[in-house]
Amino acid sequence: MQNLKPIVDIQNLRVEFPTKGGNVVAVKDISIDIKPGETVCVVGESGSGKSVTSMSLMRLIGYGGGKITSGTLNFEHRDGAVEDLALRSEGAMRDVRGNEIGMIFQEPMTSLNPVFTLGAQLTEGLIIHKKMSKSEARAAAIELLRQVRIPEPEKRLDQYPHELSGGMRQRVVIAMALACEPRLLIADEPTTALDVTIQAEILALIDRLKRETGTAVLFITHDMAVVAQIADRVVVMFRGEKVEEGTAAEIFENPQHPYTKSLLAAVPRLGEMTGTDYPAPLRLVDGSTTQVDPIKGSDETLLEVKGLTTRFAVKGGLMRRTVAQVHAVEDVSFKIKKGQTLSLVGESGCGKSSCGRSILRLTEPTSGEIWIDGKDVRALGARELRDARRDMQMVFQDPFASLNPQIVLGDQVAEPLVNYQVVSGEELDERVAKLFDRVELPRSFLKRYPHELSGGQRQRVAIARALALNPKLIVSDEAVSALDVSVQAQVLNLMMELQAEMGISYLFISHDMAVVERVSHTVGVMYLGRIVEIGPRRMIFENPQHPYTKRLLSAVPVADPHNRKLVGDLDFSPIPSPIHPVGYTPAPSRYLEVGPEHFVIQEGQQ
């Protein structure tokens, strides 16, 4: 690889954003080159300029209000010609985007068009760039969806983005980026919304593509374990500058810059909580970690869910009649005690988010019981439900979609306090400012809009808003998946400190097994809408019983470049479909108790 000419050679790139207070320099004199068949990972905290660098290379930064003020973006085309993309006209860039440079964007809901079917969006690039007929493009699109492990791809082509889970939408975006077999693949946090089994398969797919076709990969991530698995070289960015660069082994074994050292110290590692019964915040002091008091919680039940079932209609035909049902949540039961955390883990599309939304009645359940602090949530009328929502809040998976783009962030965090008339005037302003302090955001952000923040910063605003009313229960739907490891450690510590102080209970929905191990009292493993194993966190991680739980744990990437998962170690068995005909009645869930409060679903039910 040493003698090959780079496909991409970025030299002294500088990007600025004009603001009312003057120009903000987002990227300062960055230089990166990527050779054929090489994966270069760019890591750094949210706001460090990782995504700005990639958007500049695609020449999309102008649409976000940024401007390339200096530097060259040399790119080698398929015919061998080298061109500075910074000088290419906007019209001519359309031939490069999607064809020679593919991009996987960070937030799939904002990169997919909500009014077009997935089939229309997937086939568009194939028809334009590959000159395929509609039928050829559709067949190729089905094969692409198969490669990214989406069940029943033929049916999915006629669906719209909102009908898929966050993880499935992300896989569609990955399929779109791979469609034209690009010379360069830019992957901006491509596995953030994916569970570990699908993530391992997608990483293997990208690795196979670069080996077979010589595609160069620019991989932007905050997940250091993923970096260890796939990186040939690593570039560490901090506040718009490149502070360190080296091979994966050099960065992990001998980091030189203080920021790189702190980044690696903050990585949650599977097995850190072995031998402990209760979660505890992780103290980061001068790049090293120390444990603090464990959080025991109470023995009193706050939330009880019995036989929760949520199904969605699949409509088809000329009259858009219901032709089938998606069994998103099927006969789920569990309890959460006051001041404790129950984590739900499982593959994207397994029903985790639907379960959380059903508990808050953001999605109406089909059947089952939901009791919070003695109140029957399903029996509440509209006004009573509004009052009950003071006690139960949600942090959504996609912060860009859950924040209003037209309202400044301070007003959005103040909104729950104003709606419920908790405080007003100067007291309101001070309360909101303190919430920003709690989630480690500067008070200057109070007057900013969502698009002016990075993905991780937006997620912290969403957490501040959920905390505003001091709720008893917070449903956290992938709340820390978009955060880089150093901020993730701070936010997890914040959530656990609030739990210890205020007795908040969490339903923590996540696919990050190392984070789940850090924060959980109880863990429920979901597969195809059902809980297949549930029990104390220590039992699930140290003595897993169900084959799917074992598979999840074995797929977790390790932050060690010498311990990479091989394709042969992964289980690529097809995922069954949760879609069943109308009238299909599945058997109720029956469990075996294999230990104290540790239950596994009986064979033949999952």
Side-chain angles (χ1 to χ4, degrees):
M1 206 179 284
Q2 299 300 320
N3 303 323
L4 293 174
K5 268 196 337 189
I7 287 179
V8 180
D9 188 8
I10 301 170
Q11 289 295 326
N12 305 317
L13 175 68
R14 185 181 180 89
V15 182
E16 297 181 10
F17 285 81
T19 66
K20 288 174 186 170
N23 282 5
V24 173
V25 181
V27 169
K28 217 177 290 178
D29 302 324
I30 285 278
S31 296
I32 301 170
D33 65 87
I34 314 167
K35 297 182 176 72
E38 183 181 35
T39 299
V40 173
C41 282
V42 180
V43 298
E45 62 189 29
S46 58
S48 65
K50 307 188 299 289
S51 297
V52 170
T53 304
S54 66
M55 296 291 267
S56 301
L57 187 54
M58 288 284 275
R59 290 278 309 284
L60 292 170
I61 200 67
Y63 296 101
K67 191 178 177 188
I68 299 170
T69 54
S70 66
T72 55
L73 305 171
N74 289 326
F75 177 73
E76 185 186 77
H77 294 282
R78 281 200 174 99
D79 60 7
V82 177
E83 180 187 13
D84 181 1
L85 295 183
L87 305 175
R88 195 177 174 98
S89 72
E90 182 52 44
M93 274 306 295
R94 289 176 193 164
D95 299 331
V96 177
R97 290 190 203 117
N99 184 20
E100 294 194 287
I101 303 179
M103 183 151 185
I104 303 165
F105 291 93
Q106 187 171 358
E107 287 162 344
M109 200 57 203
T110 51
S111 56
L112 289 171
N113 192 321
V115 300
F116 289 109
T117 63
L118 299 172
Q121 296 183 64
L122 262 169
T123 56
E124 184 184 21
L126 294 166
I127 292 167
I128 292 170
H129 296 304
K130 292 266 193 175
K131 306 290 186 270
M132 288 185 180
S133 67
K134 280 191 177 177
S135 59
E136 287 171 339
R138 188 175 171 88
I142 290 169
E143 185 51 40
L144 281 163
L145 291 184
R146 266 204 196 94
Q147 285 189 350
V148 295
R149 307 271 292 129
I150 287 185
E152 297 197 279
E154 296 85 357
K155 287 184 183 174
R156 302 291 182 193
L157 285 186
D158 298 319
Q159 290 185 312
Y160 291 87
H162 72 270
E163 296 180 84
L164 270 62
S165 71
M168 283 205 190
R169 285 197 291 264
Q170 186 65 297
R171 282 183 268 167
V172 172
V173 172
I174 290 168
M176 286 170 69
L178 298 176
C180 293
E181 296 180 342
R183 296 265 296 148
L184 170 69
L185 178 66
I186 300 173
D188 188 358
E189 305 279 10
T191 58
T192 293
L194 304 180
D195 58 273
V196 286
T197 50
I198 302 292
Q199 173 181 273
E201 290 164 16
I202 295 296
L203 294 178
L205 177 69
I206 292 172
D207 188 59
R208 192 184 80 215
L209 177 83
K210 74 166 192 179
R211 278 187 286 105
E212 289 178 2
T213 65
T215 297
V217 181
L218 178 63
F219 201 100
I220 296 163
T221 184
H222 60 259
D223 190 331
M224 296 305 285
V226 168
V227 173
Q229 293 296 306
I230 64 158
D232 295 308
R233 276 188 299 127
V234 182
V235 172
V236 183
M237 286 185 71
F238 182 60
R239 293 181 182 166
E241 295 185 78
K242 178 168 79 172
V243 294
E244 191 164 354
E245 181 177 0
T247 65
E250 285 166 354
I251 295 293
F252 278 85
E253 290 166 15
N254 190 23
Q256 298 297 308
H257 195 273
Y259 176 68
T260 312
K261 291 175 183 175
S262 67
L263 201 61
L264 289 166
V267 176
R269 289 178 167 84
L270 202 63
E272 281 185 325
M273 302 295 287
T274 301
T276 60
D277 289 315
Y278 299 105
L282 191 67
R283 274 282 163 272
L284 292 169
V285 183
D286 300 326
S288 60
T289 57
T290 57
Q291 295 277 18
V292 293
D293 294 339
I295 301 163
K296 294 187 177 178
S298 155
D299 286 331
E300 201 179 335
T301 299
L302 173 73
L303 176 74
E304 184 168 9
V305 176
K306 297 179 185 172
L308 182 67
T309 298
T310 302
R311 294 173 188 163
F312 300 107
V314 177
K315 297 187 183 295
L318 286 173
M319 306 296 290
R320 299 289 289 164
R321 289 198 181 97
T322 300
V323 293
Q325 286 186 316
V326 179
H327 289 237
V329 181
E330 196 60 57
D331 196 17
V332 163
S333 302
F334 57 78
K335 292 179 183 177
I336 302 180
K337 293 174 180 173
K338 288 183 179 176
Q340 290 200 0
T341 300
L342 181 138
S343 292
L344 287 180
V345 298
E347 294 184 347
S348 60
C350 72
K352 308 186 295 290
S353 296
S354 295
C355 184
R357 294 175 70 90
S358 299
I359 287 164
L360 301 190
R361 277 185 59 193
L362 296 173
T363 297
E364 280 297 333
T366 309
S367 62
E369 295 177 45
I370 304 158
W371 295 84
I372 182 164
D373 223 8
K375 281 185 206 153
D376 182 355
V377 175
R378 288 204 68 207
L380 299 177
R383 181 170 289 183
E384 296 160 313
L385 182 61
R386 184 183 183 279
D387 291 339
R389 290 225 169 104
R390 286 186 69 157
D391 292 335
M392 46 188 194
Q393 289 288 307
M394 184 157 189
V395 181
F396 293 92
Q397 184 171 359
D398 184 347
F400 199 81
S402 64
L403 293 171
N404 189 322
Q406 296 174 310
I407 299 176
V408 294
L409 298 167
D411 290 349
Q412 298 201 51
V413 172
E415 197 173 7
L417 298 166
V418 173
N419 281 350
Y420 288 96
Q421 299 173 342
V422 177
V423 286
S424 59
E426 285 182 15
E427 196 183 341
L428 174 67
D429 294 341
E430 185 55 29
R431 182 92 166 255
V432 172
K434 281 183 177 170
L435 283 163
F436 270 65
D437 295 342
R438 283 213 111 149
V439 294
E440 310 263 340
L441 285 175
R443 292 189 177 193
S444 60
F445 281 21
L446 287 163
K447 297 295 179 198
R448 286 197 184 182
Y449 290 89
H451 73 271
E452 297 180 276
L453 272 61
S454 69
Q457 289 165 338
R458 283 196 288 265
Q459 192 61 290
R460 281 187 273 173
V461 174
I463 291 168
R465 186 175 57 182
L467 294 170
L469 292 170
N470 296 336
K472 294 176 182 174
L473 172 73
I474 291 180
V475 176
S476 161
D477 186 2
E478 305 278 12
V480 295
S481 67
L483 305 179
D484 58 87
V485 284
S486 51
V487 177
Q488 188 183 73
Q490 292 164 15
V491 171
L492 290 173
N493 281 349
L494 169 70
M495 291 172 77
M496 287 193 272
E497 282 160 13
L498 290 166
Q499 187 170 55
E501 274 174 44
M502 300 156 63
I504 296 174
S505 300
Y506 293 111
L507 176 62
F508 195 87
I509 296 163
S510 180
H511 59 261
D512 190 327
M513 300 300 279
V515 167
V516 165
E517 186 186 32
R518 166 65 52 192
V519 303
S520 310
H521 294 82
T522 308
V523 177
V525 181
M526 284 190 79
Y527 182 68
L528 283 180
R530 292 186 194 257
I531 289 180
V532 295
E533 184 167 2
I534 188 167
R537 187 260 309 143
R538 186 173 175 182
M539 291 295 100
I540 298 292
F541 279 86
E542 295 178 30
N543 186 26
Q545 296 294 309
H546 194 273
Y548 179 65
T549 312
K550 293 175 183 174
R551 194 172 117 199
L552 264 186
L553 290 167
S554 69
V556 175
V558 183
D560 177 1
H562 298 298
N563 185 11
R564 294 190 171 182
K565 300 254 183 266
L566 301 171
V567 175
D569 299 338
L570 302 171
D571 179 1
F572 288 107
S573 55
I575 303 166
S577 172
I579 301 171
H580 297 286
V582 177
Y584 170 79
T585 308
S589 303
R590 292 195 174 83
Y591 295 89
L592 295 170
E593 188 166 7
V594 293
E597 297 185 11
H598 185 183
F599 298 90
V600 180
I601 200 163
Q602 288 184 6
E603 284 298 317
Q605 286 205 295
Q606 58 277 15

